[in-house]
Every structure is written in structure tokens, then in C-alpha cells.
Amino acid sequence: MTIEITHTRREGTLIEGTSRGDGSAEILRLREYGRTQRQPFRWSRNLDCWYLPHSRDHATYTPSLELLAQRLREKGVEVTLTVDNADRRSFTEAEQEREEKAEGRADRFGGYAASSTQSSETAWKKSHDISERFAFGQPILIGHHSEGRARRDHARMDDAMRKSISESDRAAHWTGRAQAAANYQQFKKDPGRTLRRLDKLRADLRAVEKWQRGQSAKGFSRNPADPELEIEHQELTEEIAHWEKVIKDAEAEGFKVWSRADFTRGDFVLYRGTWYEVLRVNPKSVTIPHIHNGTGKRIVRATGNQHDDWTWTAPYNDVSGRKSADEMQQPPQAPATEAQEPAEQSPAVEEPVPVGKPTAATAPAEGTSWLDGMALVLIASKNSPRRRKRALWAMTRREAQAVCGDPRISGRSYMLTWTDRPGTEGTDWEWVRDNGSHAPVLNELGITPRREWTGAPQAPGGAA
């Protein structure tokens, strides 16, 4: 029997030729392998062999595999070790495979969620059917011939309800996993995130080029003759070209890549929802008044702030818009419809914003239900600033309850909630962009949301 240990960048580290009971499993499960020397091997039913997780598209740590081969030989097994770090796939090919797998996971996890939801509903119905016997509060008659059956019914009813709750939690878990997998491509190709990724990749490429010239980079030096440097150079070049194409596609769709040429001192920059006056223009950022000055304001000027001696740098890849000083002096315009208003612009509001009394929702007209009054659906994220609430849609209270109660509408790091007393627009809350990710759920529920807040009730016939 011969065990083959092979590693290529294309396939990763694979162990073939093992059999049950040969003692190799105990050795392979040790957490002493990989580039971190803390990883165990795992068995794959699809590959029908052992593999090292996260070893694809990376160079291996050869001493780790040599240690594994030595341990297997001590068991009396013949072992061959083959390492070919030059055999690799292109970055575009690897990224395409990752996207396809993410789509497959989304479909698979969606099926798991649907199955768990069905099981939860079935278990709940079973519990409900049993409980019909006790609908009028019939107690267990001690000593009566029905006592045994009644106690068994109570136990079955309890078991069914517990199973319903457990399956409901399982459905919520798989729904979140499916949503995360479905958002993989959108997350990876987000323009702002892609620009930050490109900055890091270009810095890594400059370091590799310095090492190839025999210079020091990142605090240490490497052998210029190391063949691994040429492979790393090719990989970084391909990855940079891939993400640069993503940015070009985003620009073709209307995304603006901001740079030093777009700003001069005295302009205003839209950074994280607030307009700041530009104090200095830098190669990769603009210097603005400190963001602590932006609490409760829509516009922060160079002077007249609580922390005038503090500054902040806003990188261009996190900038959302620009206005000149003259444009900022113009009176605020009536808000345009969402189809006409660019995502990077916001109407100018004089500072500081006066705090008004919260606006309560208007009471329903006579003959209408309280549920037909208007509500505002808000999005709450784990790390979002608490300066103002963020509103997505306006709809009836009935529709808001249906939307916010749907488990598919929330994610791992955010949730939706609703209120009929949001306060004053611009002070207590503001509209945020709707990226359309919840459109399938809204369509399934038959809801057409609005982007205008009036607080007025709707008649039952006018509900979406």
C-alpha cells in the first residue's frame, strides 16, 4: 500500500491511498499541518480522499508535509511526496468557481430553510390539532379511564410544539446562510470595498517587485532568486487586473471614482452621510473637520465647531459626493424622486438642524382600522452610527408588521423594524438607499412600498 501526498496550487494538498484501519486517520487529524501548522486534514466524500482546507491557490509549507510523510512511514506505510507550486489556475478562473459555489450554496441552503419551515408548520399543526381536545380547559381527570390518554396527548402536544420551535430556529439559520451566500458576489464587487482591496494589492505588488530587485520591503528581505516571487508577481498582477475591470464596469453603470483632481480647498465632501468642508487635499484623502463635529448636523464647516483644533482624513474610496462652496450656499431644493436623485447627492440643509417635536402618525379616519395608518420601516445595523434613524420605506402598519415579521427580511448584521412616530425628517431620521435586495419578499407579500412620509392613514381599499 502506497499513500500519495500531493500539493499543487490548482488542487491544493491531497492525501490519496489511505484505507480504513491503517492508522493514518489519527495522524491526519492532528492540528499540526498547513501554513499555520495548526490545521488538521479532513475527509471529503466528493473527492474520496483527505484534503487540507484552504490549501488551494497557495504555496504549501513543505516542512509540514515532510513531517506528515515521516509519521506515516513510521507506521510502516510507503509514502510518496510531490509538491508543484507552479501548477496553478488564474485568479479569474478561481473567482468564477467561488461565485458558482456561492450560488450553489444559496440554492442548497434555501432548500434546507424551506424544508425546516415546512416541518415547523407541520409540527405546529399537529400540536394544535391535539390541543383542540382541551379547547375549553378540560382538566385531566385523575383516576378516570381517560387519564392515561390525556397525559399522552399532553406529552405529544409538548413534543410537537418543541419540534415546531426548533425547526423554526433551524429555518431562520438556513435562511441567513442562504442570504449570505446569495450576497457573495454583491459583497465582493462593492466598488468602495474593491477600491480598498486594490490599494492593498498594489502595495503587495510593489513589495514583491522590491524583493525581486534585492531590496527590503515590509521590514524584511527575500532571496531575489526565489521562484515563489515570480509566481506571486503573476498572481497579484492577475488579481489587480480582475478588480480593475470590476471598477470599470461599475463606472460604466454610473459609479464615480473620486481622486485628488476632483477637490480643492473650500469644497464640501459627502462623507458617511454628512457634508464636511475640505481643509486640505491629499494624494489619497481629504482632510476635514473631525467627525465628532458632525453629531446632529448635516453640514460641518471649517470653523465654529466644538473641536476646531481636531481634524480627520476621509479616503477617496469612502467619499460619496462633492459640492463647491457656492453650491453649498444655495437654498435647499425640494427633494426629487428617487429615480431622479443621484445616490451621492443630498439636499443642502442649513446647520445646525433645529430639533422639532416628534411627529405622531395621524389617527385613522372614521371607519378605518388602526392597522391602515402609515408606518415607517427602519433598518438597524450592528455598527451603524446612532446619529439618525435610517428609513427604507413608508407603508401601512399592517404591511410593516408583515414585512418586519418575515424571517427572510433580516440579515446577520442588520434587522428591520417599524414605527409610526419617527420624529422629524432630517433631524431624527433620514432616507437611505434601497438596494433592491428585499424586492422578492415584498413582491411575494404583495406590498408596494413608498419613499415619501406623510403619516396619513390609508383606506383599506388603498393598501398595497
Side-chain angles (χ1 to χ4, degrees):
M1 179 182 64
T2 302
I3 295 180
E4 298 179 358
I5 304 175
T6 60
H7 174 83
T8 62
R9 270 183 162 87
R10 181 179 299 275
E11 301 295 338
T13 304
L14 304 178
I15 311 295
E16 299 176 299
T18 62
S19 59
R20 187 183 297 273
D22 62 359
S24 60
E26 292 78 6
I27 298 175
L28 292 171
R29 289 196 181 101
L30 295 175
R31 295 179 175 271
E32 300 178 4
Y33 307 112
R35 289 170 290 130
T36 63
Q37 302 183 60
R38 295 180 179 179
Q39 291 178 276
F41 282 83
R42 293 180 182 176
W43 175 262
S44 170
R45 288 180 293 178
N46 294 331
L47 299 175
D48 195 30
C49 66
W50 293 85
Y51 74 100
L52 187 65
H54 312 297
S55 59
R56 296 187 73 183
D57 304 312
H58 295 286
T60 187
Y61 182 62
T62 306
S64 174
L65 298 184
E66 292 175 346
L67 175 62
L68 171 62
Q70 178 183 350
R71 288 174 173 173
L72 292 174
R73 292 188 182 105
E74 291 174 355
K75 289 283 187 178
V77 180
E78 184 178 350
V79 180
T80 62
L81 174 60
T82 305
V83 176
D84 184 5
N85 285 317
D87 183 11
R88 66 181 189 89
R89 54 182 180 171
S90 67
F91 179 81
T92 301
E93 180 184 356
E95 187 65 18
Q96 181 178 358
E97 180 178 328
R98 285 190 282 267
E99 291 177 2
E100 292 173 354
K101 286 186 175 181
E103 293 177 1
R105 287 197 303 272
D107 294 340
R108 187 168 67 254
F109 295 159
Y112 295 163
S115 177
S116 296
T117 300
Q118 182 64 35
S119 298
S120 176
E121 294 175 354
T122 302
W124 178 87
K125 188 176 185 303
K126 178 180 178 181
S127 176
H128 178 72
D129 292 343
I130 298 174
S131 69
E132 287 297 311
R133 289 189 54 204
F134 311 98
F136 298 101
Q138 173 66 40
I140 296 177
L141 303 178
I142 307 299
H144 193 265
H145 65 83
S146 64
E147 177 185 358
R149 181 183 177 186
R151 292 191 182 279
R152 290 192 296 272
D153 285 345
H154 275 77
R156 286 197 295 268
M157 186 169 58
D158 180 74
D159 291 343
M161 185 55 69
R162 290 180 183 277
K163 180 179 179 181
S164 175
I165 295 172
S166 174
E167 291 295 327
S168 178
D169 293 342
R170 192 188 305 275
H173 167 77
W174 288 118
T175 299
R177 292 284 303 274
Q179 185 66 33
N183 291 341
Y184 172 83
Q185 187 171 359
Q186 180 182 356
F187 176 85
K188 289 296 292 271
K189 293 187 177 181
D190 175 72
R193 185 175 290 105
T194 301
L195 288 173
R196 291 188 287 273
R197 185 185 298 118
L198 279 170
D199 288 341
K200 180 182 181 302
L201 292 172
R202 288 164 180 156
D204 292 341
L205 181 61
R206 289 193 297 270
V208 170
E209 291 173 345
K210 285 185 177 181
W211 288 326
Q212 288 179 320
R213 295 193 298 266
Q215 301 174 357
S216 176
K218 295 186 176 181
F220 61 95
S221 301
R222 294 175 61 177
N223 183 7
D226 185 356
E228 187 65 25
L229 287 176
E230 182 60 31
I231 298 176
E232 290 180 13
H233 191 280
Q234 295 174 3
E235 290 178 334
L236 288 170
T237 302
E238 290 177 0
E239 189 169 357
I240 289 173
H242 175 85
W243 295 122
E244 284 178 343
K245 182 179 183 301
V246 171
I247 292 297
K248 289 182 180 179
D249 293 342
E251 287 183 299
E253 296 176 0
F255 177 76
K256 170 64 177 174
V257 179
W258 301 99
S259 66
R260 184 175 190 173
D262 297 311
F263 295 94
T264 58
R265 182 176 179 179
D267 288 344
F268 284 80
V269 59
L270 182 59
Y271 175 67
R272 299 184 180 180
T274 303
W275 290 96
Y276 295 90
E277 185 173 350
V278 176
L279 305 179
R280 185 170 58 252
V281 180
N282 310 311
K284 295 184 178 181
S285 64
V286 289
T287 302
I288 59 177
H290 200 279
I291 59 174
H292 287 176
N293 297 311
T295 304
K297 297 181 180 180
R298 293 296 300 275
I299 303 174
V300 179
R301 303 188 185 277
T303 57
N305 304 304
Q306 182 179 2
H307 306 289
D308 273 344
D309 53 339
W310 294 3
T311 60
W312 189 268
T313 55
Y316 294 124
N317 53 38
D318 208 6
V319 166
S320 304
R322 171 202 171 274
K323 283 188 178 182
S324 66
D326 293 337
E327 291 174 329
M328 194 57 66
Q329 293 296 338
Q330 296 177 359
Q333 302 295 324
T337 60
E338 186 175 6
Q340 298 171 344
E341 182 181 8
E344 70 273 10
Q345 294 184 359
S346 296
V349 178
E350 290 300 327
E351 56 164 344
V353 177
V355 178
K357 294 182 178 180
T359 57
T362 308
E366 185 176 356
T368 63
S369 169
W370 176 85
L371 291 174
D372 295 318
M374 294 303 298
L376 203 62
V377 177
L378 309 172
I379 179 170
S381 302
K382 185 182 297 182
N383 297 320
S384 65
R386 303 298 194 271
R387 186 167 62 251
R388 285 183 293 271
K389 302 183 184 74
R390 301 182 299 162
L392 280 176
W393 314 299
M395 57 182 66
T396 66
R397 296 185 182 98
R398 190 191 312 276
E399 294 169 340
Q401 288 180 352
V403 169
C404 297
D406 195 304
R408 298 169 296 175
I409 212 72
S410 299
R412 182 174 298 178
S413 60
Y414 72 93
M415 63 176 292
L416 299 188
T417 184
W418 66 272
T419 179
D420 56 4
R421 296 174 180 268
T424 304
E425 182 177 358
T427 301
D428 302 304
W429 63 273
E430 62 183 349
W431 293 109
V432 295
R433 184 174 66 89
D434 177 12
N435 60 14
S437 61
H438 301 307
V441 179
L442 295 174
N443 293 336
E444 182 177 330
L445 296 176
I447 296 174
T448 303
R450 300 164 52 187
R451 295 280 291 183
E452 179 182 359
W453 172 248
T454 61
Q458 292 183 351

